[in-house]
Amino acid sequence: MEFAAFAARAEAIEETEADHATTVLVAALLADADGDLETVVRFLLGRVFPAHETRTLDVGPALCREAIAKAAGPNVDTADVEDRLADRGEIGAVAASYDFGGQRGLAAFGAGNGTHADGDVDGSGPTVADVDGTLRSIAAAAGDGSEGTKLDTLFGLFNRIDPPAAKILARLVLGEMRLGVGEGTVRDAIAEAFLATDAATPSDAGASGTDGDGRREDAGQDDENGEPVLTATDEDVAAVERALQVTNDYGRVAAIARDRGRPGLADQRLVVGRPVQAMLAQAGTAADALAEWDRAAVETKFDGARVQVHYAPSSPTSPGSTASTASAVDATDGIGPKLYSRNMDDVTAALPEVVELVASRVDVPVILDGEVVAVDEDGDPLPFQEVLRRFRRKHDVDRMREEVDLRFHAFDCLHAGGEDLLEAPLETRHDRLREVVPDLAATLTIADDVETIETIERRALDAGHEGIMLKNPDSPYTPGDRGKNWLKRKPDVETLDLVVTGGEWGEGRRASLFGTFEVSVRVDRAGDGEEAVHADRRFEPVGKVATGITDERLASLTDQFEPLVRSEEGTTVTFDPAVVFEVGYEEIQRSPTYGSGYALRFPRFVGVREDKDVTDADTLERLERLADAQ
Ligand code: AMP
């Protein structure tokens, strides 16, 4: 598929508002994608690599703007690109506003077109596969001079495409596709394209709601709102969803759905070494938990950083191992221990003692979920900020190991001894956890009255922990799901995790440091958390944070934020949204000053949430709920 054709389809999808109509267009694109299916699916989600891969493109906004400026011709510099960005608000619109055509001749003479074979001499643009190959070569560039290589290669790519394609390419490079296509839409579209019983692909037909041919009776018609009726059944969608949770790879699942249908999807298993998304929690109380489930599994809420452990010892020796019977795990010999963060970054190198601990305790292939916590010399927990000093560290790991002591608490077991446990009830998974790592497993207590839960909560708080987690004892592990089966209960006034969108240079002694940071909530499209965020209203400010930050901290924050400056006017700057601050406050007030309609009273910097990216930041919806609850 030509990349220009993909871009045109993406544009049509972006212009479609209605959910079902969007799903139908995405499904049609997937059905036409042939050999490019996996890439097309990833591109739609703004990715080059599947979510479980730790490889990234590693192209920052500044490099992308420079490549655009270079491709736009000798009269354009990065300042011009930045002006347009301040004006238009998003990189795709900026890229599409230039005509890169005048530069094409240059590209044909080899101005760094990357790995693709077809030169641009005949005027035809790159294919989806060309763009994918070139972006992968950019990702692979490393070492001295790699920034220059990345710039030249990206410049070469922009040079070969027209404005509509440049719009999509720029967004893809920065991972912000903004097509109104979230993961839920892609899931539904995969089911629609390849599993719906009238799809011309293998599928176990005969699901509910179908007529004699296995096709839904209202298929192909519009509903009362004029939206097309989708033909995939709930079972089709659930089959895709499950395979996505297990593989964490949208492209691969699309290809399996097309080539092997529901049986192929059902065959998918966890793989040791391939991280899945972490299951998440909502806020809730003991009364909520007992009202829903009658009894609750109560655990300490550890104030640390999430870690998913993958380990397959070289030769499983445990008599309890069932590896040979149930396993479809690809290769479970001699993997890891590997440790992944909540965002599936590989943090193995930063946490050697967790690696050593797991390697010394575990003798069957496992995937474990847990939390690493910093502790003092008595073993008492230290604030979350301490663990972050260790968490993503690439240098001085040994020195920091001396300074900050860590404990690992395992609270879930997704796979053990060849057996996938995602669908097993929490209680069963926890039993298995205790079998495989008796001394690392967090204590889980089943309670059926509020008093018992409150006693456990008080004990957890007295011991210096953050609070408790309440979990449905019968619930499966649903990767990536922030459902009602896990409730977090924190007694303190909640802090907010906010995106830093701007700042101000300090004064006097602090003139070379940023002194104030503008913090913003995320604004979800139509309040649907799982869908892509709205094109031009992604973040809205709620306040400015200046207190709670030491000079030393300001210096390191200045280093962190300088490359993110998007525009500057006097002492005021705007930043590319990339960093999340945890912010405390006294109250949320209504305010006409900020676009969010709210302002935080006495906002205070608590820390940088290194473990969260901007898509994990708190939403306007949550701010509204907290404001209402005050
Ligand atoms: P929050 O980051 O405030 O949304 O709280 C959810 C986080 O609490 C999870 O992502 C985990 O990192 C952490 N956590 C701490 N203890 C537990 C536990 N026992 N079970 C699940 N999550 C926990």
Side-chain angles (χ1 to χ4, degrees):
M1 178 179 276
E2 294 285 323
F3 186 71
F6 168 73
R9 306 273 295 250
E11 177 119 35
I13 290 167
E14 184 179 5
E15 281 163 9
T16 305
E17 291 268 320
D19 289 349
H20 285 189
T22 303
T23 307
V24 167
L25 285 183
V26 175
L29 172 58
L30 303 193
D32 292 343
D34 297 327
D36 294 316
L37 178 60
E38 296 202 21
T39 310
V40 162
V41 168
R42 288 176 195 140
F43 280 10
L44 279 172
L45 290 169
R47 302 185 146 277
V48 176
F49 301 106
H52 64 76
E53 279 202 29
T54 45
R55 253 188 310 174
T56 59
L57 208 49
D58 200 19
V59 172
L63 192 102
C64 181
R65 294 196 292 259
E66 207 178 331
I68 291 172
K70 208 170 164 198
N75 300 327
V76 179
D77 59 14
T78 45
D80 184 65
V81 175
E82 280 157 17
D83 284 348
R84 291 197 190 193
L85 186 57
D87 196 34
R88 289 162 211 241
E90 70 98 11
I91 197 71
V94 174
S97 71
Y98 293 108
D99 181 9
F100 299 139
Q103 293 286 302
R104 289 217 178 112
L106 273 182
F109 289 105
N113 277 353
T115 57
H116 42 74
D118 61 330
D120 199 23
V121 275
D122 61 355
S124 70
T127 62
V128 164
D130 290 334
V131 171
D132 188 48
T134 306
L135 293 178
R136 281 168 185 264
S137 78
I138 289 178
D144 285 350
S146 62
E147 285 292 290
T149 309
K150 284 176 191 238
L151 177 65
D152 285 348
T153 311
L154 195 55
F155 155 65
L157 205 47
F158 274 118
N159 247 333
R160 303 177 66 213
I161 56 180
D162 60 5
K167 170 172 144 185
I168 297 300
L169 177 64
R171 290 177 174 181
L172 174 60
V173 164
L174 296 187
E176 324 170 338
M177 283 306 263
R178 302 171 176 221
L179 301 177
V181 175
E183 293 180 342
T185 310
V186 173
R187 175 199 61 205
D188 293 353
I190 292 171
E192 194 62 22
F194 305 124
L195 300 184
T197 40
D198 60 340
T201 43
S203 147
D204 52 349
S208 61
T210 59
D211 66 13
D213 303 328
R215 190 170 190 269
R216 271 176 62 141
E217 286 155 27
D218 46 4
Q221 299 167 14
D222 288 349
D223 66 13
E224 65 273 20
N225 301 321
E227 277 228 60
V229 172
L230 299 181
T231 52
T233 61
D234 291 348
E235 290 82 355
D236 293 330
V237 173
V240 177
E241 174 76 26
R242 181 197 162 272
L244 289 172
Q245 290 184 343
V246 169
T247 63
N248 204 359
D249 185 341
Y250 280 76
R252 182 186 163 114
V253 166
I256 294 166
R258 178 187 64 189
D259 301 338
R260 296 173 51 209
R262 263 165 63 168
L265 294 176
D267 280 348
Q268 298 310 303
R269 293 284 176 273
L270 293 174
V271 173
V272 176
R274 187 176 68 190
V276 299
Q277 295 193 41
M279 182 165 174
L280 301 171
Q282 294 185 358
T285 64
D288 294 338
L290 294 177
E292 280 294 323
W293 324 310
D294 293 332
R295 50 190 204 122
V298 192
E299 265 171 9
T300 299
K301 183 174 194 301
F302 305 100
D303 191 12
R306 190 82 173 255
V307 167
Q308 197 174 101
V309 177
H310 288 242
Y311 180 45
S314 292
S315 44
T317 52
S318 161
S321 167
T322 53
S324 56
T325 51
S327 180
V329 172
D330 293 350
T332 50
D333 216 33
I335 297 166
K338 286 271 196 196
L339 310 179
Y340 299 95
S341 73
R342 171 187 156 133
N343 292 329
M344 289 169 289
D345 293 333
D346 187 335
V347 292
T348 312
L351 307 171
E353 61 269 66
V354 181
V355 171
E356 289 158 17
L357 196 64
V358 169
S360 69
R361 298 293 199 283
V362 179
D363 52 15
V364 292
V366 288
I367 302 176
L368 308 176
D369 193 2
E371 190 95 348
V372 281
V373 182
V375 292
D376 64 16
E377 56 274 15
D378 300 327
D380 291 331
L382 292 169
F384 164 71
Q385 280 70 29
E386 288 298 311
V387 82
L388 291 185
R389 294 174 63 204
R390 293 283 316 270
F391 202 55
R392 275 167 207 280
R393 187 160 282 273
K394 296 204 171 73
H395 307 290
D396 288 341
V397 171
D398 289 338
R399 185 173 59 79
M400 284 311 290
R401 185 176 174 174
E402 301 278 301
E403 275 187 36
V404 182
D405 230 352
L406 296 180
R407 290 273 179 288
F408 174 62
H409 300 277
F411 51 70
D412 217 313
C413 180
L414 282 53
H415 176 96
E419 201 185 341
D420 283 356
L421 297 167
L422 292 182
E423 271 123 56
L426 169 65
E427 271 184 293
T428 309
R429 298 199 306 276
H430 207 272
D431 288 345
R432 200 74 181 97
L433 180 68
R434 269 197 309 270
E435 282 165 30
V436 289
V437 280
D439 53 349
L440 304 181
T443 306
L444 178 144
T445 312
I446 303 290
D448 57 10
D449 62 288
V450 172
E451 293 70 39
T452 309
I453 295 176
E454 282 177 350
T455 308
I456 300 172
E457 181 173 14
R458 228 169 331 185
R459 237 184 280 137
L461 292 171
D462 287 348
H465 296 294
E466 201 186 5
I468 51 168
M469 299 289 297
L470 299 164
K471 300 180 179 176
N472 177 353
D474 301 317
S475 62
Y477 191 100
T478 44
D481 187 25
R482 191 186 291 284
K484 289 204 165 76
N485 282 324
W486 284 17
L487 302 177
K488 56 186 175 192
R489 166 120 183 89
K490 287 194 266 183
D492 295 339
V493 173
E494 302 264 332
T495 55
L496 287 164
D497 293 331
L498 300 172
V499 179
V500 185
T501 45
E504 277 166 36
W505 290 105
E507 291 175 348
R509 186 169 62 81
R510 287 180 161 190
S512 62
L513 302 175
F514 290 121
T516 306
F517 296 90
E518 176 193 75
V519 287
S520 298
V521 281
R522 203 154 57 83
V523 182
D524 270 358
R525 183 180 178 239
D528 183 346
E530 127 184 295
E531 291 301 324
V533 280
H534 194 279
D536 48 1
R537 289 179 51 236
R538 284 187 83 195
F539 305 106
E540 293 289 2
V542 294
K544 290 184 177 155
V545 182
T547 50
I549 317 180
T550 61
D551 276 10
E552 192 190 6
R553 191 68 207 229
L554 277 182
S556 72
L557 288 174
T558 301
D559 288 346
Q560 186 173 7
F561 277 99
E562 270 190 314
L564 298 174
V565 171
R566 179 185 271 185
S567 68
E568 204 157 354
E569 207 180 310
T571 56
T572 307
V573 296
T574 61
F575 295 128
D576 286 315
V579 178
V580 178
F581 277 3
E582 183 175 2
V583 177
Y585 57 91
E586 285 205 351
E587 204 188 335
I588 302 168
Q589 299 176 316
R590 289 207 163 269
S591 161
T593 315
Y594 294 118
S596 63
Y598 293 92
L600 300 182
R601 203 165 115 85
F602 301 130
R604 138 185 82 79
F605 174 82
V606 177
V608 179
R609 291 294 308 243
E610 303 280 3
D611 61 325
K612 288 199 169 178
D613 65 31
V614 294
T615 56
D616 297 318
D618 279 315
T619 57
L620 180 57
E621 210 191 344
R622 171 147 194 264
L623 188 75
E624 280 164 351
R625 263 192 281 119
L626 289 172
D628 286 348
Q630 279 175 163

